């Protein structure tokens, strides 16, 4: 019986070997890329320096004071606004100004400015569901949208592991929680935000209230309830308030002692007079405080301008809606004592 010949249908052995070799090379290249990325992340993690005396943060080109310079202002308002716009101050990311889909782009642009100027970037993330318990700064996002919004910010921050990034997470959120009646829900949302934002060169500070609000023991209990002490640098005090630097350093030390040594940041943007007492909404007679990076000790990393001077606390004492740039307020705050 005649034997039928069979034609080889697969690729030649040499071609098969080349395919296998190419796949091996690709796997090695991918492995090297991941190894290099992991090494870089490790390097930036172990070499990152926290904020301290001498830290200078960005004066954002997108600040409301900077934007106000493009409007009609009289001579006094122009001088005060120019001065405030030039000061290193935190930028507030809010869903009203930087909604989902744009917050990452804004963050990336701010990082580029900080890199160009060789300074740190200070951000306030302020979009928590039920924000401000419906008071003057009411707003925020729905829970699912909030998670996505924070993830968007975190992804942008992760692109700059070598830069010092200071994140003040949700001012007033914890100190107000007993009044809002949503501590369990709020601590879970903050814990998720910390887990997302945590990364090389990113120093996260939770809400620490201020010296005239909650007792140190209660404030420490609220911070501890978030369950993120191993991921955060510490807490921020006096944000958007007018308490004296001395009182805030004292308070920060008391809260820190309750929390096993967590660090703090103190807002000195508007406490140059520190005569407001219990009045927190555009109190008259106040002044800007010491520039960021002026003070620090073994607990307080340093002071920063966190609340941008010139932005209203709300419709009180002649001010416009909360967060609106207010030329008359800017003039008052920028006056010499």
């Amino acid at each position: 019986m005649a034997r039928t010949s069979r034609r080889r249908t697969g690729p030649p052995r040499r071609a098969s070997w080349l395919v296998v070799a190419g796949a091996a090379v690709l796997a090695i290249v991918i492995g090297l890329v991941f190894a290099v990325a992991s090494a870089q992340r490790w390097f930036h993690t172990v070499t990152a320096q926290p904020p301290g005396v001498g830290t200078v943060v960005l004066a954002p080109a997108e600040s409301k004071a900077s934007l106000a310079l493009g409007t009609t202002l009289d001579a006094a308002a122009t001088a005060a606004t120019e001065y405030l716009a030039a000061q290193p101050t935190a930028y507030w990311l809010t869903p009203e100004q930087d909604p989902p889909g744009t917050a990452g782009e804004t963050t990336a642009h701010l990082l580029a400015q900080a890199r160009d100027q060789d300074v740190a970037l200070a951000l306030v993330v302020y979009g928590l569901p039920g924000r401000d318990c419906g008071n003057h700064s009411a707003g925020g996002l729905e829970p699912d949208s909030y998670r996505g919004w924070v993830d968007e910010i975190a992804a942008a921050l992760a692109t700059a592991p070598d830069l010092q990034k200071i994140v003040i997470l949700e001012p007033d959120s914890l100190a107000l929680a007993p009044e809002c009646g949503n501590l369990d829900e709020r601590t879970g949302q903050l814990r998720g935000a910390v887990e997302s934002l945590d990364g090389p060169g990113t120093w996260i500070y939770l809400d620490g209230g201020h010296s005239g609000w909650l007792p140190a023991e209660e404030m420490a209990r609220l911070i501890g309830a978030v369950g993120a002490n191993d991921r955060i640098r510490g807490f921020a005090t006096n944000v958007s308030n007018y308490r004296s630097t001395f009182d805030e350093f004292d308070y920060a030390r008391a809260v820190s002692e309750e929390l096993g040594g967590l660090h703090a940041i103190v807002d000195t943007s508007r406490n140059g007079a520190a005569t407001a007492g219990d009045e927190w909404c555009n109190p008259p007679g106040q002044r800007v405080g010491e520039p960021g990076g002026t003070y620090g000790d073994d607990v307080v990393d340093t002071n920063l301008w966190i609340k941008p001077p010139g932005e209203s606390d709300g419709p009180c004492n002649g001010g416009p809606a909360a967060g609106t740039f207010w030329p008359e307020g800017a003039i008052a705050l920028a006056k010499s004592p």
Side-chain angles (χ1 to χ4, degrees):
M1 185 174 178
R3 189 185 293 267
T4 23
S5 63
R6 295 184 179 175
R7 177 170 295 181
R8 187 185 297 272
T9 57
R13 289 184 180 176
R14 179 177 177 80
S16 298
W17 180 85
L18 289 173
V19 170
V20 172
V25 170
L26 180 60
I28 291 171
V29 170
I30 292 173
L32 286 172
V33 168
F34 277 106
V36 169
S38 296
Q40 288 178 333
R41 181 180 177 85
W42 174 84
F43 174 79
H44 291 307
T45 298
V46 300
T47 59
Q49 294 297 310
V53 174
T55 291
V56 178
V57 303
L58 180 70
E62 296 86 352
S63 72
K64 292 177 183 176
S66 293
L67 298 177
L69 291 172
T71 65
T72 302
L73 300 170
D74 63 26
T78 296
T81 304
E82 285 178 343
Y83 166 72
L84 295 178
Q87 303 312 304
T89 308
Y91 179 89
W92 288 55
L93 284 162
T94 68
E96 292 79 13
Q97 183 167 293
D98 300 292
T102 69
E105 182 180 350
T106 299
T107 303
H109 186 54
L110 292 165
L111 287 167
Q113 289 181 54
R115 187 180 299 283
D116 288 346
Q117 298 178 33
D118 193 25
V119 294
L121 175 62
L123 291 175
V124 177
V125 176
Y126 194 56
L128 194 71
R131 191 181 65 197
D132 203 31
C133 293
N135 293 321
H136 291 326
S137 295
L141 293 162
E142 293 299 316
D144 288 345
S145 296
Y146 181 69
R147 283 191 291 271
W149 185 68
V150 170
D151 287 347
E152 185 183 340
I153 296 166
L157 293 176
T159 65
D162 57 314
L163 288 183
Q164 187 183 68
K165 303 167 293 292
I166 303 162
V167 176
I168 313 300
L169 184 58
E170 301 295 346
D172 296 346
S173 59
L174 288 171
L176 268 177
E179 179 182 329
C180 295
N182 61 350
L183 179 61
D184 290 344
E185 181 182 17
R186 182 153 288 182
T187 53
Q189 290 162 345
L190 290 170
R191 183 164 54 251
V194 168
E195 290 171 354
S196 181
L197 293 163
D198 185 27
T202 300
W203 306 95
I204 302 171
Y205 298 83
L206 293 178
D207 169 38
H210 60 71
S211 59
W213 198 343
L214 299 177
E217 297 83 0
E218 184 176 356
M219 192 67 250
R221 179 183 63 81
L222 293 169
I223 293 169
V226 176
N229 287 6
D230 59 332
R231 288 178 175 263
I232 61 173
R233 176 66 177 174
F235 52 93
T237 80
N238 206 40
V239 177
S240 301
N241 214 273
Y242 302 85
R243 299 278 164 172
S244 78
T245 303
F246 179 84
D247 287 347
E248 291 306 300
F249 269 59
D250 242 14
Y251 182 68
R253 295 185 73 84
V255 174
S256 174
E257 186 174 357
E258 296 288 331
L259 289 167
L262 283 182
H263 290 253
I265 286 280
V266 171
D267 185 358
T268 57
S269 60
R270 304 185 300 178
N271 72 346
T275 57
D278 291 334
E279 191 169 2
W280 59 267
C281 193
N282 302 325
Q286 304 310 299
R287 303 286 183 268
V288 295
E290 292 290 341
T294 301
Y295 301 118
D297 60 20
D298 58 330
V299 169
V300 178
D301 287 331
T302 193
N303 63 299
L304 291 179
W305 281 22
I306 298 175
K307 168 72 173 184
E311 293 184 18
S312 174
D313 293 321
C316 48
N317 282 319
T324 303
F325 189 77
W326 182 26
E328 292 82 1
I331 293 169
L333 285 167
K335 282 180 180 176
S336 298

